[in-house]
Coordinates of all heavy atoms in Angstrom, one line a residue:
V317 N 80.2 140.3 101.7 CA 79.4 139.6 102.6 C 79.0 138.2 102.0 O 78.5 138.1 100.9 CB 78.1 140.4 103.0 CG1 77.2 139.6 103.9 CG2 78.5 141.7 103.7
V318 N 79.2 137.2 102.8 CA 78.9 135.8 102.4 C 77.4 135.5 102.8 O 77.1 135.6 104.0 CB 79.8 134.8 103.0 CG1 79.4 133.4 102.6 CG2 81.3 135.1 102.7
H319 N 76.6 135.2 101.9 CA 75.2 134.9 102.2 C 75.0 133.4 102.2 O 75.7 132.6 101.8 CB 74.3 135.7 101.1 CG 74.4 137.1 101.2 ND1 73.7 137.9 102.0 CD2 75.2 138.0 100.5 CE1 73.9 139.2 101.9 NE2 74.9 139.3 101.0
G320 N 73.7 133.1 102.7 CA 73.4 131.7 102.8 C 74.0 130.9 103.9 O 74.2 129.7 103.8
V321 N 74.3 131.6 105.0 CA 75.0 131.0 106.1 C 74.1 130.8 107.3 O 73.4 131.8 107.7 CB 76.2 131.9 106.6 CG1 76.9 131.2 107.9 CG2 77.2 132.0 105.5
S322 N 74.0 129.5 107.8 CA 73.0 129.3 108.9 C 73.5 129.9 110.1 O 74.7 130.0 110.4 CB 72.7 127.8 109.0 OG 73.9 127.1 109.4
D323 N 72.6 130.4 110.9 CA 72.9 131.1 112.2 C 73.5 130.1 113.2 O 73.5 128.9 113.0 CB 71.5 131.7 112.8 CG 71.8 132.7 113.9 OD1 73.0 133.1 114.1 OD2 70.7 133.3 114.4
G324 N 74.0 130.6 114.3 CA 74.6 129.8 115.3 C 73.6 128.6 115.7 O 72.5 128.9 115.9
T325 N 74.2 127.4 115.8 CA 73.4 126.3 115.9 C 73.8 125.4 117.1 O 74.8 124.6 117.0 CB 73.6 125.4 114.6 OG1 73.3 126.2 113.5 CG2 72.6 124.2 114.6
P326 N 73.1 125.6 118.2 CA 73.3 124.7 119.4 C 72.8 123.3 119.0 O 72.3 123.1 118.0 CB 72.5 125.4 120.5 CG 71.5 126.2 119.8 CD 72.1 126.6 118.5
M327 N 73.0 122.4 120.0 CA 72.6 121.1 119.7 C 71.1 120.9 119.6 O 70.3 121.4 120.4 CB 73.0 120.1 120.9 CG 73.0 118.6 120.6 SD 73.9 118.1 119.2 CE 75.6 118.5 119.8
G328 N 70.6 120.3 118.5 CA 69.2 120.2 118.3 C 68.7 118.8 118.7 O 69.4 117.8 118.6
H329 N 67.5 118.7 119.2 CA 66.9 117.5 119.7 C 66.0 116.9 118.7 O 65.4 115.8 118.9 CB 66.3 117.6 121.0 CG 67.3 117.9 122.1 ND1 67.8 117.0 122.9 CD2 67.9 119.1 122.5 CE1 68.7 117.5 123.7 NE2 68.7 118.8 123.5
D330 N 65.7 117.5 117.6 CA 64.9 117.0 116.5 C 65.3 117.6 115.2 O 65.9 118.8 115.2 CB 63.4 117.2 116.7 CG 63.0 118.6 116.8 OD1 63.0 119.3 115.8 OD2 62.5 119.0 117.9
L331 N 65.1 117.0 114.1 CA 65.6 117.5 112.8 C 65.0 118.9 112.4 O 65.6 119.7 111.7 CB 65.5 116.5 111.7 CG 66.2 115.2 111.9 CD1 65.9 114.2 110.8 CD2 67.8 115.4 112.0
E332 N 63.8 119.1 112.8 CA 63.1 120.3 112.4 C 63.8 121.5 113.0 O 63.8 122.6 112.4 CB 61.6 120.2 112.9 CG 60.7 121.4 112.5 CD 60.6 121.5 110.9 OE1 60.7 120.4 110.3 OE2 60.5 122.6 110.4
F333 N 64.4 121.3 114.1 CA 65.3 122.4 114.8 C 66.3 122.9 113.7 O 66.4 124.1 113.6 CB 65.9 121.8 116.0 CG 67.0 122.8 116.6 CD1 66.5 123.8 117.4 CD2 68.3 122.7 116.3 CE1 67.4 124.7 118.0 CE2 69.2 123.6 116.8 CZ 68.8 124.6 117.7
Y334 N 66.9 122.1 113.0 CA 67.9 122.4 112.0 C 67.3 123.1 110.8 O 67.9 124.0 110.2 CB 68.8 121.2 111.6 CG 69.6 120.6 112.8 CD1 69.1 119.7 113.7 CD2 70.9 121.1 113.1 CE1 69.8 119.3 114.7 CE2 71.7 120.7 114.1 CZ 71.1 119.7 114.9 OH 71.8 119.2 116.0
R335 N 66.2 122.5 110.4 CA 65.5 123.1 109.2 C 65.0 124.5 109.5 O 64.9 125.4 108.6 CB 64.3 122.3 108.9 CG 64.6 120.8 108.5 CD 63.4 120.1 108.0 NE 63.7 118.7 107.7 CZ 63.3 117.7 108.5 NH1 62.5 118.0 109.6 NH2 63.6 116.4 108.3
R336 N 64.8 124.9 110.7 CA 64.3 126.2 111.1 C 65.3 127.3 111.3 O 65.0 128.4 111.5 CB 63.4 126.1 112.3 CG 62.0 125.4 112.2 CD 61.1 125.7 113.3 NE 61.7 125.4 114.6 CZ 61.6 124.3 115.3 NH1 60.8 123.3 114.8 NH2 62.2 124.1 116.4
I337 N 66.6 126.8 111.4 CA 67.7 127.8 111.6 C 67.8 128.7 110.4 O 67.9 128.3 109.3 CB 69.0 127.1 111.8 CG1 69.0 126.2 113.0 CG2 70.2 128.1 111.9 CD1 69.0 126.8 114.3
P338 N 67.6 130.1 110.7 CA 67.6 131.0 109.5 C 69.1 131.2 109.0 O 70.0 131.0 109.7 CB 67.1 132.3 110.2 CG 67.5 132.2 111.7 CD 67.4 130.7 112.0
N339 N 69.1 131.6 107.7 CA 70.4 132.0 107.2 C 70.6 133.5 107.3 O 69.6 134.3 107.0 CB 70.3 131.6 105.7 CG 70.7 130.1 105.4 OD1 70.9 129.4 106.4 ND2 70.5 129.7 104.2
L340 N 71.8 133.9 107.6 CA 72.1 135.3 107.7 C 73.6 135.5 107.7 O 74.3 134.5 108.0 CB 71.5 135.9 109.0 CG 72.1 135.6 110.3 CD1 71.6 136.5 111.4 CD2 71.8 134.2 110.7
P341 N 74.2 136.7 107.4 CA 75.6 136.8 107.4 C 76.1 136.6 108.8 O 75.6 137.1 109.8 CB 75.8 138.3 107.0 CG 74.6 138.6 106.2 CD 73.5 137.8 106.9
T342 N 77.3 135.9 108.9 CA 77.9 135.7 110.2 C 79.4 135.7 110.1 O 80.0 135.5 109.0 CB 77.5 134.2 110.8 OG1 78.2 133.3 109.9 CG2 76.0 134.0 110.8
P343 N 80.1 136.1 111.1 CA 81.6 136.1 111.1 C 82.2 134.7 110.8 O 83.1 134.7 110.0 CB 81.9 136.5 112.5 CG 80.8 137.3 113.0 CD 79.6 136.5 112.5

Side-chain angles (χ1 to χ4, degrees):
V317 175
V318 180
H319 294 274
V321 176
S322 61
D323 200 0
T325 308
M327 192 60 62
H329 292 266
D330 59 68
L331 297 179
E332 189 59 29
F333 171 82
Y334 294 87
R335 298 185 188 107
R336 291 196 306 264
I337 297 288
N339 282 354
L340 72 167
T342 69

